[in-house]
């Protein structure tokens, strides 16, 4: 199965909560510094209201999981079919952490989860969240 490779900002491997908070702030800063022209490297898109309405504040630490699924979904051009163990390996964390943040994303309406087959299918909802 194809994988987008190493994405160091999109991991939960932190020594303490302050490190994780710093990583979240770095991600938010990057999201707010949208380039005017496309760069040379691989890119992904997020709808502009996600940034403008600061919907990322609702996600907290689940932002890391959500962004990774966004990137994987756009890279593969389809829903993500992976186990929680695989997601945990990608994000350098535990299955319970993935389950916790996946549940939060689903509850907030930012993630579709289908468990009809052997593997779960995850897909990001792009147009959701609080209305401003």
């Amino acid at each position: 199965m194809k994988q987008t490779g190493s994405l160091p900002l999109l991991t939960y491997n932190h020594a303490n909560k302050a490190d994780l908070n710093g990583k979240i702030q770095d991600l938010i800063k990057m999201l707010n510094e949208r380039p005017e022209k496309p760069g040379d490297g691989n890119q992904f898109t997020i709808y502009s209201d996600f940034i403008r309405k600061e919907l990322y504040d609702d996600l907290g630490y689940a932002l890391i999981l959500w962004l990774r699924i966004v990137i994987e979904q756009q890279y593969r051009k389809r829903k993500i079919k992976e186990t929680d163990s695989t997601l945990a390996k990608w994000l350098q964390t535990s299955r319970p952490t993935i389950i916790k943040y996946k549940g939060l994303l689903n509850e907030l309406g930012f993630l579709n989860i289908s468990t009809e087959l052997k593997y779960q299918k995850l897909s990001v909802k792009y147009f959701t969240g609080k209305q401003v």
Side-chain angles (χ1 to χ4, degrees):
M1 223 174 251
K2 286 185 183 179
Q3 184 186 349
T4 58
S6 177
L7 299 169
L9 273 179
L10 298 181
T11 62
Y12 288 101
N13 63 333
H14 311 290
N16 58 44
K17 197 170 185 175
D19 290 342
L20 183 56
N21 288 335
K23 186 174 278 193
I24 292 294
Q25 292 310 311
D26 289 345
L27 286 169
I28 290 170
K29 182 179 176 185
M30 290 173 67
L31 290 173
N32 282 304
E33 292 176 351
R34 295 173 294 205
E36 292 180 19
K37 296 179 183 177
D40 294 336
N42 293 333
Q43 298 181 15
F44 65 96
T45 57
I46 298 175
Y47 66 99
S48 61
D49 276 356
F50 184 81
I51 307 299
R52 188 175 57 78
K53 294 179 181 178
E54 299 180 351
L55 297 177
Y56 47 77
D57 284 340
D58 294 343
L59 304 184
Y61 298 140
L63 174 64
I64 293 172
L65 175 60
W66 187 82
L67 285 171
R68 182 62 190 247
I69 294 171
V70 166
I71 292 168
E72 290 289 337
Q73 183 175 315
Q74 289 180 20
Y75 178 75
R76 297 176 187 199
K77 296 179 176 38
R78 60 182 168 83
K79 294 179 181 179
I80 306 306
K81 290 191 278 186
E82 301 293 346
T83 64
D84 291 339
S85 295
T86 301
L87 296 174
K89 185 177 176 182
W90 288 354
L91 300 172
Q92 298 176 21
T93 191
S94 65
R95 282 183 64 243
T97 298
I98 294 298
I99 292 167
K100 174 183 168 183
Y101 294 141
K102 198 173 67 173
L104 176 65
L105 291 171
N106 187 32
E107 182 181 312
L108 292 173
F110 284 94
L111 185 66
N112 289 320
I113 302 172
S114 172
T115 56
E116 296 168 359
L117 302 172
K118 180 180 177 183
Y119 286 100
Q120 64 186 345
K121 288 185 183 179
L122 304 174
S123 63
V124 170
K125 292 183 183 180
Y126 289 99
F127 303 100
T128 188
K130 61 184 173 188
Q131 302 297 318
V132 177

